[in-house]
Amino acid sequence: MAPSLTIPGRGECRLDYLLLDLNGTLTCDGEILPGVAGRLALLAEQLAIRLVTADTLGRAENLARALGLELLRIDPGDEGRQKAAAVEALGAGRVAAIGNGANDAAMLHAAAFGIAVLGPEGLAPAALLAADVVVSRIEDALDLLLIPQRLVATLRE
C-alpha cells in the first residue's frame, strides 16, 4: 500500500514511486552499504522502486538483481536532465527521490520529496540545495519513508 502523507503547509501527497541514485547513494566504492537491502525490501512492499544510473562502475545490473529492484539505465552525459525526466515520466507528484550527486539535483528538485544523502562519498552542493530534506546516511533516508511521520515532522510548516 502506497503511503499517503498529509504535511501541514504542503497538503496531501500519495507516493507510488521511489527513484534512487545508485553510486554514492546506495553504495560506497560499488558495494551496497550495510542496512540498505533490508530497508529496500520493506519499502518495495509499499512503493515501486527504480534504480537510476549511468552505471559509471559497470555493476548496476548485478546490484539491481541483488536488491531485487528495477534498473533504469541512463546514458552518460546530461544525466541530471535524464534523471529529472524519469521523475516526470512517473508523475513527479507521486515520486520520492534520493541522491547525493550533482547529477541528482534536478531529480531531487522535480520529485514530490527529494532527499539528499551526505554519505561516505560526499554530497554535492547542488543536490543539497535541491533537496527537501538532507540526512547523513542512506539508512536515515530510507527510514524517513518507512516511518513517514518523521518526514511529516521535518517538512511541516
Side-chain angles (χ1 to χ4, degrees), residues 36-141:
V36 168
R39 284 174 172 87
L40 288 175
L42 291 171
L43 279 170
E45 296 173 8
Q46 304 173 39
L47 298 168
I49 304 175
R50 310 265 193 292
L51 300 177
V52 60
T53 182
D55 199 13
T56 305
L57 301 177
R59 304 190 63 210
E61 194 169 313
N62 290 337
L63 292 170
R65 189 174 17 262
L67 293 169
L69 299 177
E70 184 176 328
L71 177 64
L72 176 56
R73 189 183 312 269
I74 59 174
D75 297 322
D78 203 14
E79 295 161 22
R81 183 194 55 75
Q82 293 176 74
K83 288 182 176 187
V87 170
E88 296 295 336
L90 294 172
R94 302 177 311 151
V95 177
I98 303 175
N100 76 316
N103 67 2
D104 298 323
M107 170 182 79
L108 297 175
H109 180 73
F113 298 107
I115 304 171
V117 178
L118 172 57
E121 293 186 13
L123 173 62
L128 170 74
L129 295 173
D132 295 294
V133 177
V134 177
V135 296
S136 59
R137 303 174 324 129
I138 183 58
E139 298 91 338
D140 297 331

